[in-house]
Amino acid sequence: MRKRMIAGNWKMNKTYAEAVTLAQDLSVALKENPADSVDVVVCPPMVDLKGVAGVREFDNAPFEVGAQNVYWEASGAYTGETSCDMLTAVGATYCIIGHSERRGYFGETDEDINKKAKALMAAGIVPISCCGEPLEVREAGTHVEFVVDQIKKDTEGLEITDPSKYVIAYEPIWAIGTGKTATAEDAQEVCGAIRKTLVEIFGQETADGIRVLYGGSAKPENVAGFLDKEDVDGARVGGASLVADSFNAMIQKAAE
Ligand code: PGA
């Protein structure tokens, strides 16, 4: 019912030429081993978007291209920011919002994330909206409440007509880039609570169509365990998405 998704977040890695090469390598790998049952998304840095989207177009490569951030205003005096229309114009069809690195280092709030989601959806770009608890919250045992609260704030007032066009990524902060993964059971506990919250907000049918991804040191060796879980519909991948072979290995596991 929900199509699995593997989404790569390249973060602040890859110059333009390196990004194009990685996109080409991924395109070749996916053509050799088609994984049509999986939605594949790559999210390069802003300045690499056009090059990666160009590979997609030229090669007819089986992946979509996403940005890692956006600003909700349409245009104007917002130095350093990028609008939804600008993303569309260079071929981005997805956009990560609310990554814990943006929340933590750049002060992004749930209110900002909510505005970004609304702007993206109005522009026809699919948000991949992130949530997840820090270590001290996990240790205090209040992680479910913490994430449910984020979901309520981040989705406030959203109108979701096509649930396949709004994606959530649960990424416990203590597991991001640390090599420490949550167990598949940890992921299911929170992703299940997210689904329940979505049912309360949007109703069963819509909630059943929204993909919830797990992220945080996901790699070829552990991805299958997460994907086996009822409410985990895919993975958001940082480090392991920077090499075509490991990213493709995860896509192939998701296609099994
Ligand atoms: P990681 O990053 O896979 O390197 O832990 C995940 C993410 O932040 O998207």
Side-chain angles (χ1 to χ4, degrees):
M1 145 189 69
R2 293 185 291 272
K3 191 171 177 186
R4 282 181 171 169
M5 174 177 286
I6 302 289
N9 174 12
W10 297 0
K11 307 193 180 184
M12 197 175 74
N13 294 291
K14 306 290 176 190
T15 61
Y16 190 85
E18 290 167 347
V20 167
T21 301
L22 177 54
Q24 284 168 335
D25 290 348
L26 182 63
S27 170
V28 170
L30 286 173
K31 283 188 176 172
E32 278 169 9
N33 289 293
D36 299 340
S37 60
V38 182
D39 279 339
V40 178
V41 183
V42 293
C43 301
M46 235 25 131
V47 293
D48 300 338
L49 279 176
K50 191 164 164 47
V52 172
V55 171
R56 177 189 172 278
E57 207 178 314
F58 187 74
D59 276 9
N60 200 16
F63 57 72
E64 293 292 322
V65 180
Q68 300 172 16
N69 188 25
V70 69
Y71 193 56
W72 56 81
E73 293 290 350
S75 63
Y78 304 104
T79 301
E81 295 297 322
T82 310
S83 73
C84 295
D85 285 353
M86 291 171 185
L87 296 185
T88 300
V90 293
T93 52
Y94 285 79
C95 183
I96 296 170
I97 51 174
H99 192 284
S100 60
E101 287 149 17
R102 294 221 54 90
R103 292 178 189 255
Y105 302 145
F106 305 103
E108 223 165 270
T109 65
D110 287 305
E111 199 189 347
D112 296 338
I113 292 154
N114 180 259
K115 284 190 197 158
K116 290 181 183 196
K118 285 175 179 158
L120 287 167
M121 289 164 85
I125 300 173
V126 180
I128 304 177
S129 187
C130 311
C131 57
E133 81 285 354
L135 186 59
E136 56 280 15
V137 170
R138 166 66 58 166
E139 285 175 347
T142 51
H143 47 284
V144 169
E145 294 89 320
F146 183 93
V147 172
V148 164
D149 184 59
Q150 284 182 324
I151 295 290
K152 286 184 178 159
K153 290 177 177 153
D154 297 348
T155 60
E156 203 179 310
L158 289 191
E159 281 178 32
I160 299 180
T161 44
D162 179 351
S164 71
K165 302 234 176 314
Y166 182 77
V167 179
I168 290 175
Y170 166 59
E171 302 202 325
I173 298 171
W174 47 273
I176 296 178
T178 57
K180 252 194 202 175
T181 33
T183 63
E185 288 69 32
D186 290 336
Q188 171 57 31
E189 180 194 26
V190 181
C191 293
I194 292 172
R195 181 95 46 214
K196 258 203 203 144
T197 309
L198 293 172
V199 172
E200 284 164 22
I201 301 171
F202 298 109
Q204 189 78 49
E205 202 180 323
T206 299
D208 280 345
I210 295 175
R211 264 91 51 99
V212 182
L213 316 180
Y214 167 77
S217 301
K219 43 186 182 268
E221 303 79 56
N222 62 22
V223 73
F226 293 110
L227 294 171
D228 273 351
K229 294 294 174 191
E230 189 185 340
D231 290 298
V232 180
D233 305 310
R236 250 272 306 286
V237 189
S241 72
L242 296 174
V243 176
D245 280 351
S246 60
F247 191 54
N248 181 44
M250 297 176 79
I251 296 163
Q252 299 305 325
K253 296 249 178 230
E256 276 171 13

